Amino acid sequence: MSRVRAGTAAFVRWWVPALPRARVAWVRAAIAVMAVLDVRYFLSSTDDRAATPEFFDPVLLARWLHLPPVTATIATALLVGVHVGAVGVLVGGFRRVPALVQHAAGALLAVAYVLWVVWGMSYGYVAHDHMAITVGVVLLTTAGTARYGDGEVADAAAGWPLRMIQVLTVMTYTGSVLAKYVVSGGSLLRWATSGTLAWAFIRRPNDLNQVLVTNALVMRAAQWGALALELSAPLAFVLRGRWRALLVVGFLGFHLTTFLLLGIHFLPTVVCWSAFVPFERVPEWVRARPAGAGRLVGSTA
């Protein structure tokens, strides 16, 4: 019985670890900036589709919420909400700003951004790189007050939303592997040795990828490398210190490469890797750590 209890306790500690509150503040800020960039430059379909209600094909969440086709008024309101919420989240991370600012701003950002994404993906295209950020922006509102200068003070209220962002970020890559398995007829070997990457280069030609597309060996080596990297994503929960940092940098390099070769950025997912970054260790003179801040308690990530 004691083993069962110990196992249950370990399971709960993994899913709800005590993680630094400062990291919540920094991750909130990163996601807030990404949300603004997303609605302005990347996921613009919410605004663009206001004039074409006939193409509205609501995703499951939109059906649950009984959302109508988006209108110009709704799109403008959501755009304003994302901007105001993001500014409040960024400013609210400073200690002298009332906690109510970050709480209200976080809620406004979550509602406006999630609705923007749900409407944007209800017109025929669902971008899987938005999974972690869309859920994360909501869950971060449950963490309570968090400041950039909280140092290594940790608790489970901060740990749970950060852990969920970490899990959903990793699932983005494992899900991609699963998709490759399905579309290749149940054989990852078939996908890795196929002409998928060459086909993508031909569809999105640029000066760099056209140099590589004629070399079948390079093409297949790149596909094997991409598959191996995606399969390695769960190692983020096993590795520590410099090894984890190296893994995260590897994924950032992967996305930089896909951007240079294909013009695909995956920035919403890239930003969510920030949940693994120990922002709480930012030097004292940068984060202005408050006097009497406690030590890290039970951090596992």
Side-chain angles (χ1 to χ4, degrees), residues 174-191:
T174 56
S176 177
V177 173
L178 178 61
K180 291 178 175 61
Y181 177 81
V182 172
V183 300
S184 62
S187 173
L188 289 177
L189 175 63
R190 181 181 301 169
W191 184 90

Side-chain angles (χ1 to χ4, degrees), residues 86-252:
V87 171
V89 167
L90 292 171
V91 173
F94 293 102
R95 186 160 298 280
R96 294 185 178 181
V97 178
L100 179 62
V101 171
Q102 65 172 268
H103 297 164
L108 175 61
L109 175 63
V111 171
Y113 183 67
V114 169
L115 287 176
W116 181 280
V117 172
V118 169
W119 255 304
M121 296 189 185
S122 292
Y123 288 87
Y125 174 73
V126 176
H128 71 280
D129 63 336
H130 279 69
M131 178 175 68
I133 190 173
T134 304
V135 177
V137 73
V138 175
L139 297 185
L140 285 171
T141 64
T142 69
T145 305
R147 311 289 192 174
Y148 304 123
D150 280 344
E152 297 186 349
V153 178
D155 59 37
W160 180 70
L162 289 173
R163 177 64 89 207
M164 292 307 299
I165 294 173
Q166 292 173 347
V167 169
L168 290 168
T169 300
V170 168
M171 284 179 61
T172 300
Y173 301 94
T174 56
S176 177
V177 173
L178 178 61
K180 291 178 175 61
Y181 177 81
V182 172
V183 300
S184 62
S187 173
L188 289 177
L189 175 63
R190 181 181 301 169
W191 184 90
T193 57
S194 70
T196 299
L197 189 56
W199 174 74
F201 283 4
I202 292 171
R203 286 182 63 235
R204 297 171 176 262
N206 62 39
D207 292 339
L208 182 57
N209 64 31
Q210 291 307 291
V211 173
L212 303 175
V213 72
T214 57
N215 191 317
L217 182 61
V218 171
M219 291 291 96
R220 294 204 172 135
Q223 289 180 181
W224 276 108
L227 184 60
L229 186 65
E230 289 178 329
L231 286 170
S232 74
L235 290 176
F237 298 118
V238 178
L239 301 176
R240 292 290 182 269
R242 294 180 180 178
W243 288 108
R244 176 184 283 177
L246 184 62
L247 180 70
V248 173
V249 169
F251 277 97
L252 299 185

Side-chain angles (χ1 to χ4, degrees), residues 73-90:
T73 301
I74 291 174
T76 300
L78 295 179
L79 192 67
V80 171
V82 169
H83 282 73
V84 173
V87 171
V89 167
L90 292 171

Side-chain angles (χ1 to χ4, degrees), residues 7-48:
T8 301
F11 177 82
V12 172
R13 282 196 304 271
W14 193 90
W15 282 100
V16 190
L19 295 180
R21 303 201 63 78
R23 196 184 305 186
V24 169
W26 288 100
V27 173
R28 279 175 175 166
I31 286 180
V33 171
M34 183 65 245
V36 171
L37 294 175
D38 198 26
V39 300
R40 290 182 65 87
Y41 302 110
F42 306 130
L43 187 62
S44 60
S45 55
T46 302
D47 194 23
D48 297 340

